[in-house]
Amino acid sequence: MGSTLELTDVKNKLEDLSGVVLKPGENPYNALIEACHDDPAEIQALYAAHRIRRNAQQKDKFLDTNFKELIIDPYLLRLENPHIEPGFKDTRYCMTFWGRPPIHVLELAGAIQKRLKDAAPDIWLMPEHRMHITTLELAFCRTAEEIDEMKETLKPAIPTIASYSYLHRARLVKPMISYDLSAFAVSFLPAAGEPVVSPAPVAPDNAAVLKQGDSYSYHHLRKDMWNQAKAAGITVDSRYIVPSAHITLGRYLTHTDHATPEQRKKWVDTIDEINEWLEKEGWGNPDSELVGEWIVGQEKGFDIRIGNLWYGGGRTVLLGEGF
């Protein structure tokens, strides 16, 4: 009989630090847009406030003299080290709408991973081919049968949802490492008038884009995804609704690199240094080899995904059209 394992979310709650209060019963993405007066600059500022406050909170935890331990994911630990529990299977089935990073964002993520790995050689890194941004999580920790039933309910709407970003283009900018005691990610902010530095869409790009400019933000896109799922008969059950747009880069599977105060100080200092480098090289810099911008849907549309989705697994129901 398999182990009863605890989700890292139980010990590491991802709370909304933007200050926005959700209204029960309505689309949860409406609240932030309304609080920001539908202004791209205000939306960006709230996303920034969330990640800055969370990073400061987590930095304090790493440097706390009463630091106890990292939060190691027991599922991933067993999957990566089969000898711990031979025959272990992850039975947490999920359904999500993923955005898939274009090549230039994967190159950026890979460069960040390399710098982090140099500082902490024993961290677990997300393979680039599994990288994604969860635009909407419909359900998690369900049975395979429950997820299949949900997929069948959603099926008529899936082609429209998968290619929605083809005509509704939302831009993400200003990459930065966000981290906590269980994982680390590269996070982005919804754009607010910054110069465009992304590669041009692959020709021909003759689409009559329905929503243009940064007035249609990534948060608007998430709101639309929620509305479409609801209209298709789905009750959306996400683990959390926070103003975050991130790609998980890796997790901790051992305490080896963070066992002493000196090692933990080195880790947070490395992250601060990388974030300074990202701001200089990747924030709207047209001369940089690395492009710190992502127009969601570039190269690939939404990946309608089901299965064991933690750590980038599972299978694709439909991949939408990219541009």
Side-chain angles (χ1 to χ4, degrees), residues 5-288:
L5 304 180
E6 187 175 56
L7 293 175
T8 56
D9 295 350
V10 174
K11 297 180 179 178
N12 193 48
K13 183 174 175 59
L14 182 52
E15 57 185 316
D16 187 343
L17 299 177
S18 68
V20 173
V21 179
L22 302 182
K23 298 178 182 178
E26 76 166 23
N27 184 324
Y29 296 99
N30 278 337
L32 184 141
I33 293 171
E34 291 175 0
C36 294
H37 311 99
D38 208 0
D39 183 314
E42 290 189 39
I43 291 172
Q44 182 182 104
L46 272 188
Y47 267 70
H50 170 79
R51 73 176 184 179
I52 290 170
R53 288 169 185 164
R54 183 163 173 81
N55 267 11
Q57 178 192 76
Q58 299 302 315
K59 183 175 184 177
D60 287 345
K61 290 182 179 181
F62 271 96
L63 300 181
D64 192 332
T65 55
N66 294 317
F67 177 92
K68 292 183 174 57
E69 60 183 2
L70 298 169
I71 301 172
I72 292 176
D73 186 326
Y75 290 86
L76 182 59
L77 184 66
R78 283 157 175 77
L79 293 171
E80 291 292 309
N81 300 278
H83 66 276
I84 293 175
E85 188 175 332
F88 173 78
K89 294 186 182 301
D90 187 350
T91 58
R92 301 169 297 166
Y93 289 85
C94 315
M95 185 168 191
T96 65
F97 302 155
W98 279 356
R100 288 293 198 177
I103 291 171
H104 66 270
V105 174
L106 291 176
E107 291 173 344
L108 175 72
I112 297 170
Q113 284 183 322
K114 183 180 184 304
R115 289 174 179 242
L116 291 171
K117 189 80 168 177
D118 288 344
D122 289 322
I123 54 176
W124 177 85
L125 296 180
M126 178 79 77
E128 287 186 18
H129 69 276
R130 292 189 168 198
M131 289 184 179
H132 60 276
I133 187 170
T134 301
T135 299
L136 186 68
E137 180 181 56
L138 281 73
F140 65 99
C141 290
R142 303 286 186 88
T143 66
E145 292 73 21
E146 287 173 322
I147 292 299
D148 189 65
E149 182 179 347
M150 180 174 285
K151 181 200 72 174
E152 291 301 313
T153 299
L154 192 66
K155 183 175 283 186
I158 285 177
T160 298
I161 293 171
S163 294
Y164 195 79
S165 56
Y166 186 74
L167 298 180
H168 303 77
R169 301 183 183 181
R171 195 162 61 107
L172 294 170
V173 297
K174 300 182 178 179
M176 185 174 102
I177 297 173
S178 295
Y179 67 107
D180 58 28
L181 295 179
S182 69
F184 41 95
V186 55
S187 65
F188 296 83
L189 303 179
E194 295 82 1
V196 177
V197 294
S198 286
V202 175
D205 181 37
N206 301 319
V209 179
L210 299 179
K211 303 282 188 177
Q212 298 195 48
D214 296 333
S215 60
Y216 185 76
S217 73
Y218 179 69
H219 207 78
H220 288 84
L221 182 60
R222 299 179 79 188
K223 182 191 78 169
D224 286 354
M225 292 290 99
W226 193 96
N227 282 337
Q228 292 202 58
K230 182 180 179 183
I234 300 297
T235 299
V236 179
D237 180 24
S238 303
R239 281 173 293 160
Y240 43 77
I241 305 291
V242 296
S244 179
H246 64 271
I247 301 169
T248 298
L249 296 177
R251 295 178 181 270
Y252 317 106
L253 287 186
T254 171
H255 297 284
T256 305
D257 296 323
H258 303 85
T260 68
E262 293 75 21
Q263 287 176 308
R264 295 191 292 276
K265 178 71 162 53
K266 177 185 176 183
W267 178 246
V268 299
D269 285 348
T270 296
I271 290 174
D272 286 344
E273 291 166 7
I274 295 173
N275 282 339
E276 289 176 8
W277 167 74
L278 283 171
E279 185 169 353
K280 179 182 178 181
E281 291 294 320
W283 288 25
N285 182 356
D287 299 320
S288 176

